[in-house]
Amino acid sequence: MSYISGRTERLLPARSVWTTSMLWWHAGFYAALASVSYFALFGDGRDSATPLVIGSLLLLGIAYPFLTRTRDLRTGRPTIYVALLVTVVVLLSFVYDGAGVLLFVAFPQVWMFTGTQRQGVAATALLCVGVAVGQVSRWGLSGTEVYGITAQLVTSFVASCMIGLWISKVIEQSEQRAELLAELDATRHELDVAEQARGALAERERMAREIHDTLAQGFTSIAMLSEAAQAQLRTQPQDPTGLLRSLSAISQTARESLAEARALVASGVPSDVQGGDLLAALRRLPDTLHLDSMRLNVALPGRLPPLPSTQQVALLRTAQEALNNVRRHSGATTAELVVDVPAGDPPLLRLTVTDNGHGFDPSADHEGFGLRSMAARLAEIGGRLQVTSSSGGTRLVAVVPTAGPAALASGPQRDDAAAQAPSDADLRPRSHTPGAGA
């Protein structure tokens, strides 16, 4: 089945009956013309009408390929050919006894090339009546001859109409099915193109989130640490301790960003959760995020329920983005990250980040990409995000479904850590949208 662009034009299937069987019809037609021409030239009935017979057959043979091409079947050219065919056969029946042989190709061609069944019946009737009149004019009006001619042509008319109507109906249904299949193939092609475009868009959105949550945050940390190191160099040029600490943090952050970039290029899981150790990656967040003077308390269970890599990545990225926005926008001095399994059905895993910052309005429009990125990432795995905020702080809750209840330790293990970084307050951004920044 071939795909033809342009849905408004009728689709002619590549395996149509016209394209698969016409070669044999062509051969049979020209064989019949050659046979009649041979007997007209070399048979016993050669007379003064032979040039007319040969000329009529030659005209029909020349016109045939120009008026019955497959690409012209939906036009009026085949109808012109049918009119010429009927005229030639009827004319020869008046001057040549062997003209009746042409009915064997004329009847099928009438049904092949007429535009409607009504035209087919009319052309068949004209052929039968015309040939009957021609034979009567040549053989006389004796009772036996008239009876034989009439019986022969009535039988031919009925048989031709029955077979023609049946075959044309079969071909019409076959063409309709073939056109439906062609349209289905065209629709499938369009859906494939649309699906490819949707997949490309989804991949671009995924890469945008990954870059925002990894490389962009790493570059932000490097920029802030570099500015802090420059400030220390200006204010305390004789004390290299703080400068060395900042340079070490810059080097560590750059290496982590490089590892994340390699993971993105390889389309693998983040380097922090390679091996499936999400708890270890969350436990390292106070050291890897460079949270300035803000204190981060991490409360994690002893074990997590089985989680696929997509859910582990979503939880880790949500925690990283939330804490980065707390550091950059909230003005908080303390934050807490808690992971637990709430009671109930279906089984869920909950990640909560809270801070004691000045808060923001979650319902307001924000220029940043953070909240949208976290919500979209969680929605892809069937999770949800909830943010509440007031002047006393912000609470972000991410919930994802799990395969079953977790086998947890008797209680959460709390790790308290304070990120050591320069305390120059002028280095902090002045945005007032925690959880929605960048």
Side-chain angles (χ1 to χ4, degrees):
M1 196 70 60
S2 63
Y3 171 73
I4 304 177
S5 61
R7 304 296 299 278
T8 57
E9 63 182 66
R10 188 172 183 182
L11 299 176
L12 184 63
R15 297 291 298 171
S16 168
V17 64
W18 305 116
T19 57
T20 56
S21 61
M22 286 298 288
L23 178 63
W24 300 107
W25 284 107
H26 299 335
F29 171 71
Y30 282 107
L33 293 186
S35 175
V36 174
S37 299
Y38 176 82
F39 283 106
L41 287 172
F42 305 105
D44 295 336
R46 182 176 181 181
D47 53 25
S48 59
T50 299
L52 176 62
V53 173
I54 300 300
S56 299
L57 295 178
L58 184 63
L59 173 63
L60 194 62
I62 293 175
Y64 178 77
F66 294 100
L67 298 178
T68 62
R69 291 176 297 184
T70 302
R71 65 186 181 185
D72 296 328
L73 291 179
R74 309 300 184 191
T75 68
R77 290 189 177 187
T79 303
I80 298 175
Y81 171 77
V82 170
L84 177 63
L85 173 68
V86 172
T87 302
V88 168
V89 174
V90 170
L91 174 64
L92 294 184
S93 67
F94 281 88
V95 298
Y96 180 55
D97 292 339
V101 177
L102 293 176
L103 290 176
F104 288 100
V105 294
F107 283 140
Q109 286 189 350
V110 162
W111 290 101
M112 288 171 59
F113 300 125
T114 50
T116 65
Q117 295 178 356
R118 183 175 299 177
Q119 292 178 359
V121 172
T124 302
L126 287 175
L127 268 176
C128 292
V129 173
V131 171
V133 173
Q135 291 180 348
V136 167
S137 68
R138 286 184 59 80
W139 297 338
L141 294 175
S142 61
T144 303
E145 295 294 339
V146 173
Y147 176 79
I149 292 172
T150 303
Q152 175 186 357
L153 292 180
V154 168
T155 303
S156 299
F157 173 77
V158 173
S160 176
C161 288
M162 289 178 60
I163 295 175
L165 290 172
W166 177 67
I167 292 179
S168 64
K169 192 65 176 179
V170 171
I171 292 178
E172 180 182 357
Q173 293 178 350
S174 176
E175 290 290 298
Q176 289 175 352
R177 293 192 188 98
E179 289 176 7
L180 289 176
L181 290 175
E183 291 180 356
L184 178 62
D185 186 68
T187 302
R188 187 183 295 114
H189 175 79
E190 294 173 358
L191 290 176
D192 288 342
V193 173
E195 183 65 20
Q196 291 175 3
R198 189 186 69 83
L201 179 61
E203 180 63 15
R204 286 196 295 269
E205 292 178 351
R206 185 190 72 85
M207 290 299 296
R209 289 197 302 269
E210 292 290 344
I211 292 173
H212 174 271
D213 294 344
T214 57
L215 302 182
Q217 302 294 351
F219 293 149
T220 301
S221 297
I222 290 174
M224 295 177 64
L225 292 169
S226 299
E227 293 173 1
Q230 295 173 15
Q232 289 175 349
L233 186 60
R234 289 194 302 268
T235 58
Q236 301 175 354
Q238 305 301 326
D239 183 10
T241 303
L243 180 60
L244 291 176
R245 187 165 56 248
S246 295
L247 292 176
S248 176
I250 291 174
S251 176
Q252 179 185 355
T253 304
R255 292 180 182 276
E256 292 171 354
S257 298
L258 179 61
E260 293 291 350
R262 288 172 175 169
L264 286 177
V265 171
S267 296
V269 299
S271 58
D272 288 339
V273 293
Q274 287 179 354
D277 194 359
L278 175 62
L279 287 177
L282 293 174
R283 194 172 288 115
R284 290 195 298 268
L285 286 180
D287 300 321
T288 59
L289 291 180
H290 310 294
L291 299 174
D292 300 338
S293 59
M294 186 181 71
R295 181 180 182 83
L296 174 62
N297 302 321
V298 178
L300 303 174
R303 294 178 61 186
L304 290 177
L307 295 174
S309 61
T310 53
Q311 291 184 328
Q312 296 188 44
V313 171
L315 288 170
L316 177 63
R317 294 302 188 218
T318 300
Q320 290 174 330
E321 176 66 15
L323 292 172
N324 270 308
N325 287 332
V326 169
R327 178 199 65 185
R328 296 171 58 194
H329 306 303
S330 70
T333 59
T334 302
E336 184 177 37
L337 185 150
V338 178
V339 175
D340 65 334
V341 179
D345 190 57
L348 302 172
L349 184 66
R350 179 171 58 193
L351 182 146
T352 306
V353 177
T354 57
D355 66 73
N356 64 348
H358 49 65
F360 72 107
D361 182 7
S363 63
D365 293 333
H366 304 287
E367 296 180 356
F369 189 65
L371 281 179
R372 293 195 301 271
S373 173
M374 288 185 282
R377 188 186 295 277
L378 292 171
E380 288 179 355
I381 59 171
R384 63 181 185 272
L385 180 72
Q386 181 180 10
V387 180
T388 56
S389 184
S390 65
S391 58
T394 299
R395 184 172 185 265
L396 180 145
V397 180
V399 179
V400 297
T402 62
L408 300 178
S410 57
Q413 301 174 352
R414 182 173 297 274
D415 293 330
D416 297 342
Q420 300 297 324
S423 59
D424 190 348
D426 294 335
L427 296 178
R428 299 176 185 159
R430 299 179 180 178
S431 173
H432 297 286
T433 55

